[in-house]
Amino acid sequence: MPQASDAYTGTFELEFERPLLALERQISELEAQADPNQSAVGLDPKLDFTADLKKLRQSHTAMLKKIYKGLGAWNTVQVSRHPNRPQTVDYINAFVKNFTELHGDRFYGDDPAIIAGFGRIGPHKCCIIGHHKGKNVKEKIACHFGCAHPEGYRKALRVMKLAEKFGLPVVTLVDTPGAYPGIGSEERGQAEAIAVNLREMSRLKVPIVSVVIGEGGSGGAIGIGVADRLAMLQYSWYSVISPEGCAAILWKIANPENNAKAADAMKVRAQDNLKLGTIDDVIPEPMGSAYRYRQQMYDTLEKYIIERLRELKRFKKPENLVAKRYQRLRKLGQISG
Amino acid sequence: MAKTTADPKPAPPLTGDRRRTWKDVKDPSESPRPGVPEGLWQKCPTCEATTYRKQVEDNLSVCTECDHHYRVGADTRVSQLVDPGSFEPLWDNLSPMDPLKFVDRITYKERYEKAQKQTGHNDALLAGKAFIKGRGVVIAIMNTDFMMASMGSVVGEKITRAIELATDLDRPMIILCAGGGARMQEATLAVSQMIKTSAALARHGDAGGLYISVLTDPTTGGTAASFAMLGDVILAEHKAMIGFTGARVIANTVRQELPEGFQTAEFLLEKGFVDRVVHRKDLRSEIAIIIDYAGK
């Protein structure tokens, strides 16, 4: 499994966070000034930065709160794609003990865009499956930025079947812009691979907990996202198509303005999906989203998964669990008449 | 999604309560075949032969010269496929909602109301009980005349109910699949229909039920990636376009030329994802034979 590298050190900035980042730079400069070990000109004992720092920090917190409180749909999509946002590997390294990755679909190959294996979360032995977007350029290209091929979905299913055989619950972490659109993926049956996963996950005899941790792009997302409990992190998105794709089709051209309109129209945010009844829970993120306070995010997610698995383990008979899951899936959709 | 270039305006629904007018065959906003007069004659998009419209329609909307299969709406499908008078439509009252209040250039409500007016149906699927060569089936037919047979909550719900009915009645389930996939205007609700229908098929399969999926032009996106590809037996119409992602998107992504015949029924047959490619005139007998072997 690719090792989670340290926090992203690049200079990526979200447009709407610019004033915030400027403030952060001011704070760190002032902190450096105040630190006798770092100050270039030496510390002048007469100067006291504490009051200024406190003021700056306060306004930083206020601004952070203000920006994130009313975060629009398109900005949410941008946050969900932030290069420093924790990915499946980060969560696995953070709270899955003894993760043992399993490779290959036994038919064609091994798709690095999906990670699957045994592991222990809290007291629960389980199988963990998740999309892998890649941490650096090389990895990102190898796993097509998290767009899985049919062999990825078939590997996921193989591991789920193992979980079923050995009575282990399944935890899936969804983070993909969509299934890979390519010649090979069509030739090897992208549609069939996803369809079979939907059918088999709906009748898997062990509990399934799914969490959208970043992007939940259509068929590529639900290919590992049929579950007893489906949750989304607060600043992730889940919809039928990416906002860019929707804009290109309905507005004929994908530009930032149309993308924002499309994201708004499709109600891609977690709280909107909760209202539509397509997900069960929204998992709150730390103030200023997961990439700012990663450890806090890991802890919240770990706690959520442990809690849900404990609830679902109450089903002693697998038939009851599957029947309950069908009831949940059966309710999806809104119609009149 | 494929362009609708070739497609002549298919025949209006045979509801019987109105006469066919020029409005039904003429849509001024789309002029797919410039230079060819609308109505009596049509030009085949494959062989370019000019054929008499009525003659082609009598030939199950298959070109008399080159066997090009025209797209046909659900009403025509019913008349072509099931025993005359045996179709018993169900759940026709179900109608879309617009929980997202979706607006692009026009509102979703305007879009589906226009389609409802044009087709005389509430949404893009006909479902019901029927007989095919005397064999009782539950059948669902996607209607390409209605918003290109995209799948929203109503389509998903009707398919699910149809499958559940087939399970209860112990009858084979037949779905004529078509469409561009999940309906964008219903966003996540539409994606969820892929899950719901697949889950219903899992139960149908567990109960020992037969499911025959017939792929017609075009079957793509969310439709392909759910019930369309889950048939116990998968039939596909000659030259139908079948795939997950649209060819244009793939070409843009991989930046290379797509192979000859990419994503046609024959291509899928070669790659092993379709059991049989059938001519439209053989569809009834093919289904009947499979039911005799596998149905109950």
Side-chain angles (χ1 to χ4, degrees):
Chain A
M1 190 183 75
Q3 282 302 304
S5 54
D6 293 320
Y8 170 81
T9 50
T11 51
F12 183 84
E13 290 183 2
L14 290 168
E15 186 76 36
F16 63 90
E17 280 193 349
R18 287 254 159 87
L20 199 66
L21 297 170
L23 208 55
E24 273 172 20
R25 272 195 291 276
Q26 278 184 21
I27 292 174
S28 65
E29 272 166 27
L30 211 56
E31 274 172 345
Q33 283 284 323
D35 183 353
N37 299 326
Q38 286 184 44
S39 176
V41 290
L43 191 65
D44 184 345
K46 275 179 281 179
L47 286 175
D48 185 13
F49 296 106
T50 343
D52 285 348
L53 262 176
K54 197 178 165 197
K55 223 165 106 188
L56 277 178
R57 287 205 182 105
Q58 272 170 353
S59 61
H60 177 264
T61 313
M63 198 188 279
L64 194 64
K65 268 189 187 148
K66 197 176 157 218
I67 289 179
Y68 275 87
K69 204 177 164 200
L71 201 64
W74 177 238
N75 289 349
T76 304
V77 173
Q78 289 173 312
V79 170
S80 76
R81 294 172 181 165
H82 194 285
N84 204 15
R85 190 174 173 84
Q87 300 182 0
T88 301
V89 281
D90 298 309
Y91 291 111
I92 289 178
N93 284 322
F95 60 71
V96 178
K97 289 167 211 88
N98 271 334
F99 182 67
T100 309
E101 192 179 1
L102 303 171
H103 291 277
D105 68 343
R106 299 289 192 271
F107 294 111
Y108 179 80
D110 183 40
D111 185 356
I114 286 188
I115 292 175
F118 296 118
R120 189 188 286 269
I121 300 178
H124 307 290
K125 284 195 285 183
C126 50
C127 278
I128 298 115
I129 297 164
H131 291 104
H132 181 49
K133 282 182 149 180
K135 286 293 200 173
N136 50 44
V137 176
K138 205 176 143 203
E139 251 180 56
K140 281 179 185 168
I141 290 170
C143 48
H144 302 97
F145 299 83
C147 297
H149 278 67
E151 48 273 22
Y153 292 106
R154 293 187 182 122
K155 167 166 78 173
L157 183 61
R158 183 174 75 83
V159 173
M160 285 184 236
K161 291 280 183 191
L162 281 182
E164 186 177 43
K165 183 174 172 188
F166 302 116
L168 303 174
V170 175
V171 174
T172 71
L173 302 177
V174 177
D175 191 9
T176 179
Y180 188 72
I183 297 173
S185 58
E186 292 288 326
E187 285 177 341
R188 299 194 290 278
Q190 187 72 279
E192 195 261 0
I194 292 173
V196 168
N197 276 22
L198 300 183
R199 183 181 66 195
E200 297 307 321
M201 287 182 88
S202 78
R203 63 179 170 199
L204 204 72
K205 292 190 185 69
V206 288
I208 309 175
V209 174
S210 286
V211 182
V212 182
I213 57 171
E215 302 191 72
S218 192
I222 58 171
I224 60 167
V226 182
D228 296 299
R229 299 294 286 200
L230 174 60
M232 286 174 76
L233 296 193
Q234 193 178 355
Y235 303 117
S236 58
W237 70 269
Y238 168 35
S239 198
V240 63
I241 187 171
S242 68
E244 290 91 338
C246 178
I249 294 170
L250 291 181
W251 280 268
K252 305 293 173 201
I253 183 157
N255 54 31
E257 191 196 335
N258 288 346
N259 295 346
K261 279 191 211 159
D264 259 340
M266 291 198 297
K267 307 269 189 290
V268 299
R269 294 180 302 174
Q271 66 262 45
D272 302 322
N273 274 304
L274 188 68
K275 264 184 226 154
L276 290 172
T278 47
I279 61 168
D280 304 299
D281 297 297
V282 176
I283 303 172
E285 292 191 26
M287 180 53 64
S289 92
Y291 87 87
R292 279 207 166 70
Y293 302 101
R294 299 161 72 91
Q295 190 55 49
Q296 213 178 317
M297 188 72 253
Y298 301 147
D299 294 344
T300 316
L301 186 59
E302 181 185 16
K303 218 174 121 202
Y304 176 84
I305 292 173
I306 292 174
E307 184 60 28
R308 289 295 161 272
L309 287 180
R310 209 190 55 204
E311 274 174 24
L312 290 167
K313 276 197 171 171
R314 285 193 207 131
F315 287 94
K316 292 293 173 225
K317 283 186 184 160
E319 310 85 87
N320 296 349
L321 178 75
V322 174
K324 187 89 180 165
R325 186 182 310 146
Y326 186 71
Q327 276 173 21
R328 176 188 170 271
L329 302 176
R330 189 67 189 77
K331 282 196 206 110
L332 296 168
Q334 291 191 23
I335 47 170
S336 73
Chain B
M1 202 178 73
K3 282 200 306 186
T4 51
T5 45
D7 204 15
K9 195 76 193 149
L14 303 169
T15 44
D17 55 356
R18 66 185 179 101
R19 289 170 66 97
R20 199 171 78 154
T21 66
W22 279 104
K23 268 188 187 157
D24 294 315
V25 288
K26 221 173 186 177
D27 187 352
S29 64
E30 301 168 3
S31 49
R33 292 160 286 111
V36 180
E38 296 274 352
L40 281 180
W41 297 86
Q42 59 188 16
K43 199 171 180 181
C44 172
T46 308
C47 67
E48 305 209 326
T50 307
T51 47
Y52 188 44
R53 190 190 179 91
K54 183 79 177 44
Q55 200 180 3
V56 172
E57 275 168 16
D58 286 347
N59 195 32
L60 302 174
S61 295
V62 174
C63 176
T64 44
E65 304 291 322
C66 71
D67 276 353
H68 171 80
H69 286 47
Y70 287 93
R71 286 178 191 168
V72 291
D75 296 287
T76 319
R77 284 277 179 198
V78 170
S79 64
Q80 288 177 356
L81 195 64
V82 305
D83 299 345
S86 74
F87 183 65
E88 226 182 281
L90 292 166
W91 315 296
D92 259 352
N93 59 329
L94 299 187
S95 180
M97 266 171 74
D98 184 13
L100 278 74
K101 305 274 175 283
F102 194 99
V103 184
D104 51 279
R105 282 165 303 149
I106 59 170
T107 64
Y108 173 39
K109 194 153 183 271
E110 282 174 83
R111 261 183 214 278
Y112 70 70
E113 279 174 356
K114 187 173 157 222
Q116 285 173 336
K117 222 164 151 188
Q118 274 173 356
T119 60
H121 292 295
N122 278 333
D123 211 317
L125 184 96
L126 289 189
K129 291 190 273 186
F131 286 89
I132 293 178
K133 291 207 162 183
R135 288 129 181 112
V137 297
V138 177
I139 190 163
I141 303 171
M142 300 193 72
N143 193 352
T144 46
D145 291 350
F146 194 107
M147 292 182 74
M148 206 48 228
S150 58
M151 173 163 59
S153 296
V154 174
V155 172
E157 177 67 21
K158 281 173 87 171
I159 289 180
T160 309
R161 286 190 194 182
I163 296 166
E164 286 174 340
L165 181 71
T167 313
D168 289 346
L169 297 179
D170 221 357
R171 277 191 183 189
M173 179 74 214
I174 318 278
I175 304 181
L176 267 79
C177 308
R183 191 175 288 173
M184 264 184 287
Q185 289 88 347
E186 294 194 23
T188 330
L189 291 170
V191 184
S192 309
Q193 305 310 311
M194 297 167 63
I195 305 176
K196 190 164 84 177
T197 50
S198 305
L201 283 171
R203 286 162 69 98
H204 186 60
D206 283 343
L210 167 67
Y211 165 42
I212 302 174
S213 158
V214 183
L215 313 184
T216 67
D217 188 57
T219 301
T220 56
T223 311
S226 55
F227 52 86
M229 282 293 166
L230 292 177
D232 295 314
V233 177
I234 302 179
L235 305 176
E237 276 195 345
H238 186 57
K239 289 271 165 67
M241 212 276 282
I242 304 156
F244 180 62
T245 318
R248 203 157 36 96
V249 177
I250 295 177
N252 280 337
T253 310
V254 299
R255 305 220 173 269
Q256 69 185 78
E257 213 166 293
L258 301 177
E260 178 82 21
F262 185 60
Q263 292 186 327
T264 58
E266 286 75 6
F267 175 84
L268 267 85
L269 183 75
E270 186 198 316
K271 299 296 172 195
F273 289 100
V274 159
D275 285 293
R276 296 172 71 80
V277 173
V278 294
H279 191 286
R280 195 172 285 163
K281 68 176 160 48
D282 301 325
L283 207 47
R284 270 167 63 79
S285 54
E286 292 264 346
I287 291 174
I289 290 169
I290 294 162
I291 292 176
D292 286 349
Y293 279 112
K296 286 188 272 192

